[in-house]
Amino acid sequence: MTDKEQRYPQRVRNTLRFRQLDVLRVERISAGFQRIVLGGEALEGFTSQGFDDHSKLFFPQPGSVFVPPQVTDEGILWGEGPRPASRDYTPLYDASRHELAIDFFIHEGGVASDWAMHARAGDTLTIGGPRGSLVVPEDYAWQLYVCDESGMPALRRRLEGLNRLASRPQVRAVVTVGDEAYKDYLAHLSHYNIEWVVGHNPQAVVEALASTQVPADDYFIWLTGEGAVVKTLLGMFERDDIDPQRVRGQAYWHNK
Ligand SMILES: Cc1cc2nc3c(=O)[nH]c(=O)nc-3n(C[C@H](O)[C@H](O)[C@H](O)COP(=O)(O)OP(=O)(O)OC[C@H]3O[C@@H](n4cnc5c(N)ncnc54)[C@H](O)[C@@H]3O)c2cc1C
């Protein structure tokens, strides 16, 4: 592996496990986010190495019994009956407390969002994964993060990780929120250069990024949010002078 390749984000695989976890606490940690803290014996061995990992959360119909699938050498064995709705969320694992937090952005008409609003201590939630991680070096000299509310938990996890570095890289984050009040979720990270775009306006995000000067080397670009927006943003960074291995773009949700 060349020195340059060693500086690329690296994929790692985890053994897939489905876990039925207990809701330990429910906390309204921000104007826009409901935190559900999960624990229990099944959390044993949980690992998540990438700041933008995802776990799949399962939401069975109220009153129905959901038996988590079994992972076998032949693949995943699902039980009888319809599979419940599932959604991807960023795992926020605290190894010192052996607890897993999930921060749900609360919005209209969502299975996951509604579940989070009604969850109570003692409820259970089945999660799968993370199945794999992209481990992105923390010390790239120049780093750009673009997201909306759905990516704020991953961004928060990342910036809290960077806080622990002896010397902080140059970070720019462009975060779009539907309401000014949602900024409070990142208030403790205001020592980073976070530019806010208030009111979902994809054009304003494009304009904020239009004059971005990407350095020749040692950079990382992370683009997430609504699918069509991410596609547009990715297009802005598909250039001959930008290494695609240093650009990560991922749709976090779709406008339906
Ligand atoms: C890798 C990854 C990590 C993610 N991590 C998180 C996380 O930690 N926290 C988090 O809140 N989300 C996260 N998301 C996004 C989350 O999975 C989606 O927002 C999901 O659609 C929410 O499910 P729901 O059941 O609440 O809404 P759905 O039933 O999927 O959608 C219901 C309606 O709400 C709209 N909608 C969905 N999401 C949003 C949104 N974010 N803002 C506004 N409208 C929306 C839909 O277009 C639809 O009209 C992540 C997604 C990915 C891919």
Side-chain angles (χ1 to χ4, degrees):
M1 199 185 277
T2 65
D3 284 355
K4 192 173 174 186
E5 281 164 351
Q6 275 176 1
R7 294 284 296 158
Y8 282 154
Q10 302 289 323
R11 285 195 183 280
V12 296
R13 306 241 5 121
N14 301 323
T15 304
L16 178 61
R17 268 182 66 184
F18 292 89
R19 299 177 152 88
Q20 195 176 53
L21 301 175
D22 304 320
V23 174
L24 304 179
R25 294 187 302 283
V26 178
E27 299 166 0
R28 188 65 186 216
I29 51 154
S30 140
F33 287 86
Q34 182 96 325
R35 170 167 289 184
I36 307 292
V37 182
L38 303 161
E41 272 177 29
L43 194 57
E44 206 49 54
F46 184 88
T47 176
S48 169
Q49 293 186 58
F51 78 95
D52 67 351
D53 281 355
H54 68 272
S55 291
K56 210 162 259 311
L57 277 42
F58 294 90
F59 303 98
Q61 292 281 343
S64 69
V65 179
F66 170 54
V67 180
Q70 290 183 335
V71 182
T72 70
D73 290 344
E74 281 73 47
I76 301 170
L77 289 186
W78 293 86
E80 301 281 307
R83 285 189 206 168
S86 64
R87 302 284 187 271
D88 292 335
Y89 277 82
T90 306
L92 306 169
Y93 179 59
D94 181 340
S96 62
R97 301 180 70 142
H98 191 45
E99 290 178 351
L100 176 67
I102 306 283
D103 289 349
F104 292 78
F105 172 59
I106 300 305
H107 61 97
E108 284 292 303
V111 175
S113 170
D114 288 353
W115 179 86
M117 283 309 290
H118 294 105
R120 297 285 173 267
D123 289 352
T124 57
L125 179 70
T126 299
I127 74 160
R131 202 170 190 167
S133 304
L134 189 73
V135 180
V136 180
E138 291 185 313
D139 58 348
Y140 287 127
W142 187 96
Q143 307 184 17
L144 171 65
Y145 298 87
V146 182
C147 67
D148 63 13
E149 294 92 345
S150 62
M152 283 167 77
L155 176 62
R156 178 171 156 140
R157 178 177 166 177
R158 179 61 162 185
L159 297 183
E160 286 175 351
L162 299 186
N163 270 344
R164 292 189 281 270
L165 296 181
S167 93
R168 265 190 220 135
Q170 193 186 333
V171 171
R172 179 184 180 207
V174 177
V175 183
T176 174
V177 283
D179 191 308
E180 187 97 25
Y182 303 159
K183 292 180 179 179
D184 65 346
Y185 184 73
L186 300 180
H188 63 298
L189 297 161
S190 59
H191 46 285
Y192 288 97
N193 171 17
I194 302 177
E195 293 166 37
W196 295 95
V197 175
V198 179
H200 287 291
N201 178 353
Q203 189 51 35
V205 180
V206 168
E207 281 164 21
L209 294 171
S211 56
T212 304
Q213 301 281 332
V214 179
D217 197 14
D218 213 27
Y219 58 88
F220 175 68
I221 298 171
W222 186 78
L223 310 167
T224 63
E226 197 283 321
V229 178
V230 173
K231 199 168 169 204
T232 304
L233 299 180
L234 270 171
M236 295 177 75
F237 293 97
E238 274 165 10
R239 301 190 329 223
D240 288 348
D241 59 334
I242 294 182
D243 184 344
Q245 299 227 49
R246 291 173 179 278
V247 181
R248 171 125 160 117
Q250 201 181 355
Y252 267 33
W253 63 284
H254 294 277
N255 224 336
K256 293 181 222 159

